[in-house]
Amino acid sequence: MLGLPVRYDGKGQTILHPQLNLWQKQNRLIVFCPEIAGGLLVPRAPAEIKQNRVITNTAEDVTSAFEAGASKALALCNKHNIRFALLKESSPSCGRNTIYDGSHSGVKVKGMGLTAKLLVKNHVKVFSEEQIPALIKALVL
């Protein structure tokens, strides 16, 4: 979300929000991509969750890489006592509220990515880039 080229297509995405910019300037962010940490390359085939497995559009099962990245994300949270995570919506790793339906047709459904699900299960409060105001509010409480 800070423009680093970690997406499956080799591109980056920048979320423009003044609070995110401030946190970055204050060195309050730990930047981490579970898919890269799990051993996936950039670029890579797009992947979606289907029947609890993560499958690329070329039918390759990459679930183990996604699980490894999720485990590393949780270890990082535990090491640094991180209680809040801001993750990329709709990603098979990071989706907080939506993910793609597994058909590789661009259809989104309600669901969580593997990393988001693991963090929530372990009491890390997860927010998507669409929920930055709620994250700010949670940090103030």
Side-chain angles (χ1 to χ4, degrees), residues 13-60:
Q13 186 169 27
T14 302
I15 303 301
L16 300 175
H17 192 283
Q19 189 65 52
L20 194 57
N21 294 339
L22 177 62
W23 290 334
Q24 187 175 20
K25 288 177 186 173
Q26 295 172 334
N27 292 319
R28 294 181 66 191
L29 302 178
I30 295 177
V31 180
F32 182 85
C33 175
E35 295 175 21
I36 301 300
L40 296 171
L41 302 175
V42 176
R44 59 187 172 275
E48 297 183 4
I49 298 172
K50 184 174 185 175
Q51 299 174 343
N52 296 318
R53 305 298 296 170
V54 185
I55 309 297
T56 69
N57 65 344
T58 59
E60 180 184 1

Side-chain angles (χ1 to χ4, degrees), residues 86-137:
L86 179 62
L87 304 179
K88 181 70 186 101
E89 193 66 86
S90 304
S91 157
S93 288
C94 298
R96 170 63 182 92
N97 302 296
T98 62
I99 55 174
Y100 289 95
D101 71 354
S103 67
H104 294 278
S105 61
V107 176
K108 292 182 186 180
V109 294
K110 184 176 180 178
M112 295 179 82
L114 273 64
T115 298
K117 193 179 294 186
L118 183 63
L119 294 182
V120 167
K121 181 179 175 184
N122 285 276
H123 312 291
V124 176
K125 293 182 174 118
V126 174
F127 298 83
S128 79
E129 77 278 9
E130 298 167 358
Q131 299 173 304
I132 292 175
L135 171 57
I136 294 166
K137 185 176 179 180

